[in-house]
Amino acid sequence: MKHPNRTCPARVAWMPLALAVFLMTFPPGVDAAPATRYEQPANRVVTAVLPPEMIQGPHFRVENKVVSYGYMNRFTVTSDFGVFEAHGNTALRKLLKEIQAIARLREIKRGDVYADAVKKAGKAPLEFGQNLITDPVDTITGVPRGVHRLIDNVRLNRSTPRGAHDDPRMEQVLSVSAHKREYAAALGVDVYSSNAVLQKELNSVGWAGALGSLTVSAAMAPFGGPAVLALQSSRLAQQMNDLLKTETPARLRQINAEKLRSMGVPADLAESFLSHPAFTPRHNTIIVTSLWALGNAQGRDNFLHLALSADDEESANFYQNMAEIMRGYHEKASPIRQITVASVLVLARAANGSVLVPFPLDHGVWTERAADVADSFMRGREHQSKGSKPRVELWVTGTLSPLFREQMARRGVKANENVYRQVELMD
């Protein structure tokens, strides 16, 4: 079984071009001979990429061959619940938490408490339809856009005398969704994940909770209580998880729209971003919260325009990480003053005079293509801006090859690797 919505190499082929654009945008400060050494992306063994605890554990094993595209890793994970592919280190960390959550949910379903809840649910009046019992994964999806629209219709139709909680069908749907969010929060996973196996298990316990009164505390009691799986413990992460747990997608949309309005983002752009199919309510909330944390920074609409180019889960994660890196730099290094965009790169000018280039990648290598673009730019120096050149800081979530770091240094670019250790990124 393949993990749903995992990106093929062609769909992220713009990333090497982005690195090339970076070199073209910020050329060497002094003339230098063209690079004569190049690297080609090469597959690696898993022990060279991951720590032991991420290679094998309860219910999973990451296969030895790690496919590298020169910027992102692709992992194959064999588990007790099927074979998954994860594109990127961030996606792998998320997947491993999901595998442990699936195992816990299946343990719950084998217990007496769950069985009693199912019996009780079978006796409850069922307004939503028989499919809620027989095939819940197809009835209530992981990304509840249908429910989202229903809720919006109720909220916007002020003349309708019946509200969402006056409609038994809607009330059942809302209740299942609420229980799913509680379980996902307790297990440390994303309730809007595209992992179909996880969604099926969440839907099962959500249904048992909604119609059979199965609470999270009662379901997890036999396993020592609601032990959270690898949840981040910082204040920001806890606030974000609480918000995602307690608020419906419609309410999250309203909160995010209000924040975007306070930032001066045009209403049509805010609507396009919040309605974009590649972004789940979780993506939207983390991105908006990160941009909102930048205070009075100008040009946040430029970033949102760029983010509209996302066309899948991986590119949505990419832009989420970009926003989180900017927030981290703003809070830990220097306040961001202005955000501009060059092709697919974000350039964030800071109060300390530096230009931050946030770029999520797993491992970058110096290719002939990147060098050619840099050399072409050197030959066209008349297009450079006049005046002193700002310091440039390239912040990447992963690592760069020694040759890549050397070439960055020659061009006056400071490369900061493994910034996930400095900046809080929500997998």
Side-chain angles (χ1 to χ4, degrees):
M1 180 188 64
K2 299 292 186 181
H3 193 294
N5 296 332
R6 293 306 184 198
T7 308
C8 65
R11 297 186 70 180
V12 287
W14 52 269
M15 287 190 179
L17 177 60
L19 291 174
V21 171
F22 169 76
L23 295 172
M24 184 171 63
T25 305
F26 297 105
V30 296
D31 290 334
T36 57
R37 292 182 295 146
Y38 309 111
E39 298 173 303
Q40 296 297 326
N43 298 335
R44 296 187 287 171
V45 296
V46 69
T47 53
V49 178
L50 299 175
E53 63 272 16
M54 289 185 67
I55 296 175
Q56 186 168 356
H59 311 291
F60 79 91
R61 184 185 75 256
V62 181
E63 298 301 322
N64 187 57
K65 179 182 176 181
V66 178
V67 178
S68 175
Y69 304 130
Y71 50 92
M72 179 178 286
N73 298 323
R74 189 189 74 197
F75 304 92
T76 300
V77 182
T78 300
S79 79
D80 293 347
F81 318 112
V83 178
F84 299 85
E85 285 189 354
H87 286 258
N89 294 357
T90 297
L92 178 64
R93 289 193 297 269
K94 180 178 180 180
L95 173 60
L96 297 186
K97 287 193 293 184
E98 292 175 346
I99 289 172
Q100 301 309 315
I102 292 167
R104 177 61 62 88
L105 291 168
R106 290 196 174 180
E107 288 176 350
I108 289 172
K109 290 170 62 177
R110 289 193 293 267
D112 294 337
V113 176
Y114 178 82
D116 292 341
V118 170
K119 292 178 182 178
K120 183 177 179 181
K123 299 176 182 179
L126 191 60
E127 301 289 345
F128 192 73
Q130 185 64 24
N131 283 342
L132 187 61
I133 293 178
T134 59
D135 201 356
V137 72
D138 288 335
T139 305
I140 302 189
T141 62
V143 183
R145 300 193 184 279
V147 176
H148 190 167
R149 287 192 295 270
L150 287 171
I151 297 171
D152 280 346
N153 289 340
V154 171
R155 178 174 56 84
L156 295 174
N157 189 1
R158 302 297 185 184
S159 62
T160 301
R162 284 157 54 95
H165 292 284
D166 297 320
D167 184 344
R169 296 174 71 250
M170 177 61 71
E171 186 174 1
Q172 286 184 348
V173 172
L174 293 175
S175 182
V176 173
S177 179
H179 279 82
K180 283 183 61 176
R181 294 197 303 272
E182 287 188 25
Y183 277 99
L187 295 169
V189 294
D190 177 10
V191 72
Y192 303 108
S193 170
S194 63
N195 188 326
V197 181
L198 174 65
Q199 287 299 333
K200 184 174 182 179
E201 302 305 328
L202 284 174
N203 284 331
S204 296
V205 295
W207 164 73
L211 301 183
S213 302
L214 177 65
T215 64
V216 173
S217 58
M220 292 190 173
F223 312 103
V228 175
L229 299 178
L231 266 180
Q232 297 154 332
S233 59
S234 75
R235 181 179 178 184
L236 176 63
Q238 189 59 54
Q239 290 175 342
M240 189 65 61
N241 285 321
D242 288 344
L243 184 66
L244 293 167
K245 177 179 71 174
T246 58
E247 301 294 352
T248 65
R251 175 58 182 157
L252 289 175
R253 183 188 180 94
Q254 183 181 32
I255 293 171
N256 292 329
E258 291 171 356
K259 286 184 176 180
L260 291 172
R261 189 181 309 113
S262 72
M263 294 181 229
V265 174
D268 58 343
L269 175 58
E271 172 65 22
S272 295
F273 172 70
L274 295 177
S275 301
H276 196 292
F279 296 102
T280 69
R282 185 178 189 272
H283 284 126
N284 288 334
T285 301
I286 294 173
I287 290 173
V288 170
T289 300
S290 296
L291 294 178
W292 187 70
L294 300 184
N296 296 321
Q298 301 297 307
R300 284 172 283 193
D301 54 332
N302 294 327
F303 174 83
L304 291 174
H305 275 295
L306 177 61
L308 295 180
S309 64
D311 63 356
D312 56 21
E313 183 178 4
E314 272 61 51
S315 52
N317 292 339
F318 179 82
Y319 289 118
Q320 175 187 308
N321 288 163
M322 269 191 170
E324 291 174 300
I325 292 172
M326 286 193 289
R327 185 206 68 233
Y329 189 96
H330 178 88
E331 295 174 347
K332 298 179 182 296
S334 179
I336 300 297
R337 298 302 188 209
Q338 177 74 41
I339 299 172
T340 57
V341 171
S343 185
V344 293
L345 288 178
V346 172
L347 315 176
R349 295 186 179 271
N352 63 2
S354 294
V355 172
L356 166 70
V357 181
F359 201 86
L361 57 73
D362 297 334
H363 184 68
V365 299
W366 182 254
T367 63
E368 185 174 4
R369 182 180 185 183
D372 284 345
V373 174
D375 293 341
S376 296
F377 188 90
M378 291 177 63
R379 290 191 293 268
R381 295 180 68 88
E382 67 273 11
H383 297 295
Q384 296 179 36
S385 59
K386 296 180 180 180
S388 61
K389 299 180 180 62
R391 295 191 308 272
V392 181
E393 299 185 47
L394 173 64
W395 280 35
V396 298
T397 51
T399 59
L400 302 172
S401 71
L403 182 58
F404 201 116
R405 289 195 300 270
E406 174 189 319
Q407 294 298 325
M408 290 295 95
R410 288 179 58 189
R411 288 159 173 77
V413 177
K414 180 181 179 181
N416 190 4
E417 303 172 72
N418 293 317
V419 298
Y420 72 91
R421 297 172 181 168
Q422 304 170 247
V423 176
E424 186 176 357
L425 303 177
M426 295 188 66
D427 295 335

